């Protein structure tokens, strides 16, 4: 089940980890890499393809009022995105080693970050009808789980993290 289907969570942002398909991890490698990050992270719905390669997982981080859906993609969409990012970043002065990794990328992990709004209800920041004080919700919003997981996935895949909203490397 996607966290989009859980009304207790609100999607906040998406980041990508772009990497060479030859570095696609197995589901066991992803599970091991994420499990050691924080003993309070809960991994759910780990999915692998027929060869044991990683497909998707949901990571719950109750202490951060957050959840992450992570899923694997490859194909034309990724190739087009990498070509555009390479074109845009050549002029930006980004780190050459990062740009080299980006140029070799032909696979992607989507990392969708969700905020636990039910905890916001308990704290009075949001009501049962989903309305609430956005400032209070923003104060509760902690991106640390996202950043920790992005770093681990970049290391695992030898890839690069990208903020698609800004088109920049993270």
């Amino acid at each position: 089940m996607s966290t989009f289907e859980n009304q207790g969570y609100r999607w906040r942002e998406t980041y990508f980890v772009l990497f060479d398909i030859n570095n696609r991890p197995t589901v066991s490698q992803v599970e091991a890499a994420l499990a050691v990050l924080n003993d309070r992270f809960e991994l759910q719905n780990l999915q692998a393809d027929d060869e044991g390669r990683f497909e998707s997982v949901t990571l719950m981080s109750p202490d951060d009022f957050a959840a992450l859906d992570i899923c694997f993609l490859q194909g034309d969409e990724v190739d087009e995105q990498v070509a555009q990012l390479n074109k845009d970043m050549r002029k930006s002065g980004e780190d050459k080693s990062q740009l080299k990794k980006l140029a070799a990328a032909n696979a992607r992990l989507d990392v969708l970050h969700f905020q636990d709004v039910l905890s916001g209800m308990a704290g009075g920041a949001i009501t049962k009808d989903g309305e609430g004080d956005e400032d209070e919700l923003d104060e509760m919003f902690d991106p640390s789980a996202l950043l920790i997981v992005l770093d681990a996935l970049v290391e695992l895949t030898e890839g690069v993290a990208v903020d698609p909203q800004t088109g920049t490397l993270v």
Side-chain angles (χ1 to χ4, degrees):
M1 175 174 123
S2 167
T3 307
F4 276 114
E5 298 165 6
N6 184 333
Q7 297 208 356
Y9 286 86
R10 178 185 295 173
W11 173 80
R12 296 296 300 245
E13 58 198 338
T14 299
Y15 281 76
F16 299 140
V17 175
L18 295 159
F19 59 97
D20 184 314
I21 190 69
N22 294 320
N23 295 331
R24 181 177 178 184
T26 65
V27 72
S28 299
Q29 290 171 316
V30 171
E31 182 177 26
L34 298 180
V36 300
L37 296 177
N38 186 326
D39 61 357
R40 294 182 304 256
F41 286 172
E42 302 166 14
L43 302 180
Q44 302 174 356
N45 305 320
L46 269 162
Q47 301 292 315
D49 67 8
D50 292 339
E51 297 175 23
R53 297 176 299 189
F54 176 77
E55 286 288 328
S56 64
V57 67
T58 297
L59 181 145
M60 306 301 285
S61 182
D63 289 349
D64 299 317
F65 304 105
L68 302 171
D69 279 349
I70 305 167
C71 59
F72 170 79
L73 287 167
Q74 67 179 16
D76 293 341
E77 178 184 344
V78 175
D79 296 340
E80 291 169 14
Q81 179 187 33
V82 167
Q84 185 62 48
L85 284 168
N86 273 318
K87 181 180 174 186
D88 294 346
M89 289 186 186
R90 255 185 256 137
K91 304 170 195 162
S92 70
E94 291 281 351
D95 181 318
K96 298 286 186 205
S97 66
Q98 296 291 79
L99 290 175
K100 188 176 180 178
K101 288 180 185 179
L102 178 63
N106 53 8
R108 179 176 89 200
L109 296 175
D110 291 0
V111 183
L112 292 82
H113 193 195
F114 295 86
Q115 180 179 14
D116 175 356
V117 294
L118 287 180
S119 294
M121 286 175 62
I126 195 164
T127 62
K128 289 182 183 178
D129 62 3
E131 298 299 317
D133 184 337
E134 289 296 322
D135 289 336
E136 285 185 50
L137 280 175
D138 286 343
E139 285 178 25
M140 291 176 52
F141 187 58
D142 184 353
S144 62
L146 171 71
L147 298 173
I148 292 167
V149 168
L150 279 175
D151 283 344
L153 294 173
V154 164
E155 185 175 326
L156 182 62
T157 62
E158 299 177 26
V160 293
V162 174
D163 176 351
Q165 289 80 20
T166 63
T168 58
L169 298 177
V170 179

